[in-house]
Amino acid sequence: MEMNDITSTLQYWLVNHPAILNFTWNPGQTLGSSPHFLTFTVLSYLSLTFMLSHLSLPPIKPSLLKSITAVHSLFLLILSFIMALGCILSIFQAPHLHWIICLPPQTPPKGPLFFWAYIFYISKVIEFIDTLLIILSNSIKRLTFLHVYHHATVVIMCYIWLQTSQSLFPAVLVTNASVHVLMYAYYLSCALGVRPKWKKLVTDCQLVQFYSSFVVLGLMLYYHFTGLGCSGAWSWCFNVVFFASLLALFADFHAKNYGKLKTKMAGATN
C-alpha cells in the first residue's frame, strides 16, 4: 500500500467518517453530556476510591492482576495514539491552523475536532480503572492525592471543553494523549515483567506538558484580545487553576522521588 493510500485511509477513518464528520455535542442528549452525569461520575469515583482503599479486599492472583493491567494499558495506549493522530489530522483539515489555539467565537461543538474531544472525555472516565488496579494490587502508597485529584478533575476539564467550545483543547489533547502513549507503554512493560529505565522520562514529559500549557494559554489570550476573540475564552480560568495545581503537585512528586534517588546515588558513590 502506497503512502497516499495510507494517508487517505487514515483521513477517512479518523476525520471524514460520517460518525466523526457529523458528530455534535448535544447537552442532555449526547451520552455523558449532562451535569448530573458529570457530578455522579466524579462523586462516585471519589467515594468508591475512599471506601475501597479502606477495605480489606480479597487477594487477587498476581498473574491475573498483571494480565488485566496489561490489557487495560494496551487498550489505553492504542486509544491515546489514535486520539492524538485523529486530532492532528482534524486540525490540518480545519480552515485555519491557529484553530489549534483559538477557535472562532461561538464555534458550535460539532465535527471531527469535537468528536475527538468527546472520545478524550470518555477515555478519562475509563482511566478510573487505573485507581482500581492500584487498590487491588495493595499498592496504597501509589494512591496519592495527586493521582486521585488528577483523575477526578481532568474529567471536569474535558466536560468544560465540550460544553463551552473552549479554545486550546486541541493542543492540550494532542500533548496529553501523546504523553499517555508513553505512560501506558511503561505500565504495559511493567505488567509484562519488564521494568523500563525511563520511568523518570514520563514525569519529565508531564512537567513539560504543563509548562507548555501556560505558553499556549498566553498565545490564546493574545489572539483573543488582538483579534475577534476566541471561543470559550473565559472558561480558560479553570484551566489556569487546574494546570497550575497539577504543575505544583507533579513538581513536588518529581522532587520527592527523583531528588531522593540522586541523594542515594551520591551517597553510594561516596
Side-chain angles (χ1 to χ4, degrees):
M1 185 179 289
E2 295 182 359
M3 185 59 67
N4 288 338
D5 294 333
I6 295 175
T7 303
S8 298
T9 301
L10 289 173
Q11 194 74 26
Y12 174 76
W13 286 107
L14 298 180
V15 181
N16 294 325
H17 189 280
I20 299 175
L21 205 59
N22 300 321
F23 171 80
T24 301
W25 168 268
N26 291 312
Q29 297 181 29
T30 306
L31 178 65
S33 63
S34 69
H36 299 93
F37 173 88
L38 178 68
T39 304
F40 175 78
T41 300
V42 173
L43 290 180
S44 295
Y45 168 71
L46 292 174
S47 57
L48 284 172
T49 297
F50 178 80
M51 287 190 295
L52 292 176
S53 62
H54 286 80
L55 292 175
S56 297
L57 300 175
I60 295 180
K61 291 183 178 180
S63 58
L64 176 60
L65 188 59
K66 285 184 177 180
S67 297
I68 295 172
T69 302
V71 172
H72 173 69
S73 299
L74 179 61
F75 172 76
L76 284 172
L77 187 161
I78 295 172
L79 181 59
S80 297
F81 178 78
I82 292 173
M83 287 189 295
L85 182 58
C87 191
I88 289 171
L89 292 175
S90 299
I91 289 167
F92 281 109
Q93 188 164 298
H96 300 285
L97 195 58
H98 76 261
W99 280 26
I100 190 174
I101 293 174
C102 178
L103 293 168
Q106 309 303 319
T107 297
K110 62 181 183 180
L113 276 177
F114 286 94
F115 172 83
W116 291 114
Y118 177 67
I119 298 300
F120 190 78
Y121 169 50
I122 298 300
S123 76
K124 294 307 172 186
V125 178
I126 297 173
E127 286 180 13
F128 286 168
I129 297 173
D130 291 358
T131 307
L132 177 61
L133 292 174
I134 290 175
I135 294 172
L136 292 176
S137 66
N138 291 319
S139 302
I140 300 301
K141 288 184 178 180
R142 292 169 53 204
L143 195 63
T144 60
F145 173 78
L146 167 61
H147 175 93
V148 177
Y149 172 77
H150 173 255
H151 276 67
T153 316
V154 74
V155 177
I156 301 173
M157 180 191 75
C158 295
Y159 178 85
I160 292 173
W161 285 1
L162 291 155
Q163 195 69 14
T164 65
S165 295
Q166 185 182 306
S167 295
L168 280 185
F169 83 76
V172 177
L173 193 160
V174 171
T175 54
N176 186 266
S178 299
V179 171
H180 276 63
V181 170
L182 185 65
M183 184 181 78
Y184 283 109
Y186 176 82
Y187 291 156
L188 176 61
S189 297
C190 291
L192 295 176
V194 179
R195 188 172 293 276
K197 297 180 180 180
W198 37 268
K199 179 183 178 182
K200 180 176 178 291
L201 177 63
V202 178
T203 307
D204 288 341
C205 288
Q206 288 170 322
L207 285 172
V208 170
Q209 174 196 340
F210 297 130
Y211 282 122
S212 63
S213 296
F214 287 102
V215 175
V216 293
L217 277 168
L219 285 173
M220 189 211 76
L221 288 178
Y222 171 79
Y223 281 121
H224 181 70
F225 290 110
T226 60
L228 299 175
C230 299
S231 179
W234 299 113
S235 58
W236 70 271
C237 293
F238 177 87
N239 283 36
V240 171
V241 175
F242 178 57
F243 290 140
S245 61
L246 282 182
L247 177 59
L249 290 169
F250 269 102
D252 181 64
F253 172 83
H254 189 281
K256 286 180 178 178
N257 285 270
Y258 304 112
K260 289 180 180 178
L261 180 61
K262 286 182 180 180
T263 303
K264 288 181 180 179
M265 290 177 66
T269 302
N270 292 332

